[in-house]
Amino acid sequence: MEYYIEAFDSFNKANYGSRSNPCIIKITSSAIITQITTTIATTTTTTTNVNVPKILNLFIPEAKANETILAYAEIYVSGDITAVLKYKYEDENKWKSVPMQNMSTWEYIAVIPSDDSRQGTLQYYLEVSDGYNTSYFGNAEKYLKIKVTAASSTTTSTMTTTTTSTTTSTITTTTTTSTTTNTTTAATSITTTIPLSLEVTSISIKNGEQYKIPLDRGDLTFKSSNTDVVVSGDGTVTAVGAGDAVITIIDKNYNVKQLKITVNDNEISKPEYTLGNVNNSVIIDAVDASAVLKYYARISTNQEGGFTEKQELAADVNSDGIIDSVDASRILAYYAYVSTTNEEAKSMEEFMKKKTK
């Protein structure tokens, strides 16, 4: 019998197995049930991964038109997952998708781009899959929603009223006159929000190098999508392994910029060469062996060997890091093999493998 289980609440759907990947159990004859005290029944069960992704939370803290919109989620899972934020506006029929990026152990973030941010009611829900099971926070019928408001002004004004009291007194022998004057002074305080911007959206650095993101602000949070590319709290990126990463930069107003980092392996490539062909001629022959012996004689008397890096790599046929008479002997042996074989000749690498066995 094949079976699977679906569980729902108001927002989430969890699967144990699925229609395409069901659990299986073999139902044995009823005689085994009546003889359970004397008979051991064996059943074979095939199950899917029981570590179903658990979505703990999903929210969009703020949404403004023409600005990037951030969605945050907390997802508990023990393996790899694919998390997708589904969204659309109330007046739209088709759901759109943006991937959630893992920012820390449980924390995930999705970015709705600014060119898809407009005034209206934004509907959204989350879909998470581990390849076997799918969990939801909301769905296409019971979604979450937030009002996307007009873009905020970058300048705010605060009016402050100051009252000054002045008293003037004139004294004579017959009359006393007192005059009170009230003066109101208006002061304006202007606060300007610095826009979050980057001149470049992608860079390449070498493994082990550092790069300082050119944003000198104290309200920024930096997150890396790849642990091989580490970013510190002040925006300094350190490459500790080859690969790609996306650095997400968020300010206190939830504005977002992203910088793609490509880390290149800084290993120096070796020049191309043919093992055994020291003089780079058409064939490997006694001339190559003679050149190796001359090189060995020179270095044995503390002289320069006279080989280029490419020639040294070609001469060390037994790959022991030393160029000596043993290499010359192996080159002569290979030359004799090639000259006498009736079959297609092996390469020097294959010939040396056979010799070392």
Side-chain angles (χ1 to χ4, degrees):
M1 181 176 67
E2 298 179 346
Y3 68 97
Y4 66 96
I5 300 171
E6 291 184 343
F8 301 84
D9 62 14
S10 298
F11 298 103
N12 303 292
K13 174 187 174 183
N15 292 2
Y16 185 86
S18 66
R19 182 185 296 273
S20 60
N21 192 13
C23 304
I24 301 172
I25 187 170
K26 184 178 180 181
I27 302 176
T28 58
S29 64
S30 59
I32 293 180
I33 299 176
T34 58
Q35 301 172 11
I36 194 70
T37 56
T38 58
T39 304
I40 299 176
T42 301
T43 59
T44 302
T45 304
T46 302
T47 65
T48 59
N49 184 4
V50 298
N51 296 316
V52 179
K54 184 176 181 181
I55 306 171
L56 306 179
N57 201 2
L58 173 67
F59 67 98
I60 294 177
E62 185 179 35
K64 295 185 182 297
N66 303 317
E67 296 180 6
T68 52
I69 299 174
L70 294 185
Y72 295 89
E74 291 179 303
I75 306 171
Y76 177 74
V77 66
S78 60
D80 295 331
I81 62 167
T82 300
V84 177
L85 180 75
K86 302 283 189 176
Y87 74 95
K88 71 179 184 68
Y89 287 90
E90 196 172 38
D91 56 359
E92 296 176 335
N93 295 321
K94 187 176 180 180
W95 291 91
K96 304 172 187 177
S97 301
V98 287
M100 301 288 293
Q101 296 183 31
N102 182 225
M103 308 302 286
S104 62
T105 305
W106 288 8
E107 183 183 5
Y108 289 76
I109 187 172
V111 179
I112 298 175
S114 58
D115 58 7
D116 202 17
S117 172
R118 60 178 175 85
Q119 285 186 262
T121 300
L122 182 70
Q123 304 168 344
Y124 64 100
Y125 68 94
L126 181 58
E127 180 180 297
V128 180
S129 173
D130 63 1
Y132 298 97
N133 310 285
T134 303
S135 298
Y136 296 86
F137 199 99
N139 54 52
E141 287 75 35
K142 295 183 179 180
Y143 42 78
L144 288 79
K145 59 184 179 179
I146 186 172
K147 193 78 171 178
V148 182
T149 59
S152 59
S153 174
T154 59
T155 302
T156 60
S157 298
T158 304
M159 300 299 297
T160 304
T161 301
T162 304
T163 301
T164 303
S165 178
T166 304
T167 302
T168 304
S169 297
T170 304
I171 302 174
T172 67
T173 57
T174 58
T175 305
T176 302
T177 303
S178 297
T179 303
T180 303
T181 302
N182 292 325
T183 303
T184 302
T185 303
T188 303
S189 174
I190 300 177
T191 303
T192 302
T193 302
I194 303 173
L196 182 60
S197 63
L198 283 173
E199 293 184 0
V200 295
T201 57
S202 64
I203 63 166
S204 295
I205 60 177
K206 291 183 179 180
N207 191 6
E209 288 185 344
Q210 288 188 328
Y211 172 77
K212 179 70 169 66
I213 299 174
L215 289 172
D216 189 15
R217 290 173 53 176
D219 65 331
L220 301 179
T221 301
F222 300 89
K223 297 287 186 180
S224 173
S225 64
N226 186 343
T227 55
D228 283 341
V229 180
V230 181
V231 61
S232 64
D234 67 350
T236 299
V237 177
T238 303
V240 295
D244 294 323
V246 175
I247 306 299
T248 300
I249 308 159
I250 311 168
D251 69 10
K252 64 181 180 181
N253 295 318
Y254 299 102
N255 297 310
V256 176
K257 291 293 180 183
Q258 291 185 315
L259 175 66
K260 182 181 178 181
I261 307 285
T262 299
V263 181
N264 300 312
D265 199 333
N266 55 7
E267 181 181 353
I268 300 174
S269 58
K270 294 180 179 179
E272 293 184 3
Y273 65 95
T274 301
L275 192 65
N277 193 355
V278 179
N279 62 357
N280 199 27
S281 61
V282 178
I283 61 173
I284 300 172
D285 56 16
V287 176
D288 297 294
S290 176
V292 170
L293 288 174
K294 290 178 181 178
Y295 175 91
Y296 177 51
R298 292 191 194 100
I299 63 172
S300 298
T301 55
N302 297 321
Q303 300 179 55
E304 289 291 333
F307 279 179
T308 64
E309 180 185 5
K310 181 177 179 179
Q311 287 178 303
E312 288 179 345
L313 291 169
D316 186 16
V317 294
N318 63 353
S319 301
D320 64 352
I322 302 171
I323 300 172
D324 55 15
S325 59
V326 176
D327 298 296
S329 174
R330 292 288 186 267
I331 292 173
L332 284 173
Y334 179 75
Y335 174 51
Y337 153 72
V338 172
S339 301
T340 57
T341 185
N342 294 322
E343 301 174 355
E344 183 179 352
K346 297 183 177 68
S347 66
M348 175 63 85
E349 285 83 358
E350 293 174 311
F351 179 79
M352 288 305 300
K353 285 180 183 179
K354 185 177 180 180
K355 285 290 183 182
T356 55
K357 287 182 179 180

